[in-house]
Amino acid sequence: MTAAVLRGALIAALVLASAAASTPRALARTQPCLALSRRSAMFAGAALSVGAALQPAFAAGQDPTDLTRLVKGYKNVKFLLDNWERETTTSQGEKDADAVRKALGLRSTEDPLFQMDKLLSNAVKKSDPDRLEEWIDAADDLNTHINNANEFAYTSAFGEYNPGGGKDQILKYLELSRVELVGVEKDLKKILELLSLSTE
């Protein structure tokens, strides 16, 4: 299979795998991570290419071809991890996981990682075809970690009010979200490396 065909299949996979994080509903709560085999992604490429072409190229001024947004998003995630206690604690001393969802691009159309599926669909065209397998692995892992981090952050936000919940549940799911966010940082760093983009 040629590199061009593989590229098309990968773009299709990224569109499907990131759909949960790119729809308006995802701004409230992400959908479960889509389990796509690489083979099914390849066969889905042709059908999805038409649908993808019909999607708006821009969303609220965000340029889907601006790959510096990936760098900014990576820096936001790293900043949050480096300043975790401060950024996840309100002025009233309460724990708040909203910063996680903001860093993931799921709170505002102005967040760098908003509609990251479109970013990655454009970014893959500039990646090294000889390292396509590494890209697929990084993109798959990134999608999983984003969905998990968002899900845990969402659960943490309502942990005190759920049956059997309490402040300990807030802390539990907030920590689980942090662990997944570490994975997001690692995956984004790998993708930036594959694009030869500096993280500095």
Side-chain angles (χ1 to χ4, degrees):
M1 184 173 291
T2 67
V5 174
L6 284 174
R7 283 178 184 275
L10 176 58
I11 292 172
L14 292 174
V15 170
L16 280 180
S18 302
S22 63
T23 59
R25 182 179 298 178
L27 295 177
R29 181 177 185 180
T30 190
Q31 300 299 313
C33 177
L34 296 177
L36 257 187
S37 70
R38 289 178 183 149
R39 176 170 295 184
S40 63
M42 290 179 182
F43 285 104
L48 282 176
S49 61
V50 176
L54 298 177
Q55 298 299 317
F58 296 85
Q62 293 269 32
D63 184 354
T65 65
D66 180 10
L67 301 188
T68 64
R69 287 172 51 197
L70 288 171
V71 178
K72 294 174 184 176
Y74 168 80
K75 289 181 177 179
N76 286 349
V77 170
K78 189 175 188 306
F79 176 83
L80 176 55
L81 288 170
D82 290 343
N83 301 275
W84 182 255
E85 289 301 321
R86 184 183 71 192
E87 295 298 312
T88 58
T89 305
T90 68
S91 57
Q92 291 76 35
E94 299 292 330
K95 285 299 181 182
D96 183 8
D98 198 52
V100 175
R101 303 184 68 244
K102 180 175 177 58
L104 296 176
L106 301 173
R107 289 292 295 156
S108 168
T109 58
E110 298 303 315
D111 294 333
L113 296 183
F114 176 70
Q115 292 189 329
M116 188 162 55
D117 59 311
K118 291 182 174 62
L119 271 176
L120 295 182
S121 292
N122 283 289
V124 68
K125 301 170 188 175
K126 299 182 179 182
S127 64
D128 183 351
D130 292 332
R131 302 183 69 183
L132 191 58
E133 188 71 20
E134 292 179 67
W135 179 283
I136 292 174
D137 288 340
D140 284 349
D141 290 345
L142 178 61
N143 178 67
T144 299
H145 286 134
I146 285 179
N147 281 341
N148 288 345
N150 187 36
E151 186 72 19
F152 288 139
Y154 186 91
T155 303
S156 174
F158 296 96
E160 192 171 1
Y161 307 102
N162 291 333
K167 292 187 182 298
D168 58 329
Q169 292 299 302
I170 293 177
L171 295 175
K172 171 186 174 181
Y173 285 101
L174 189 59
E175 173 60 17
L176 289 173
S177 183
R178 186 194 67 79
V179 172
E180 295 295 329
L181 202 63
V182 171
V184 171
E185 179 192 20
K186 176 183 176 182
D187 301 331
L188 279 174
K189 187 173 184 179
K190 180 64 176 181
I191 285 174
L192 292 175
E193 177 206 327
L194 292 171
L195 292 170
S196 299
L197 292 174
S198 174
T199 58
E200 300 301 325

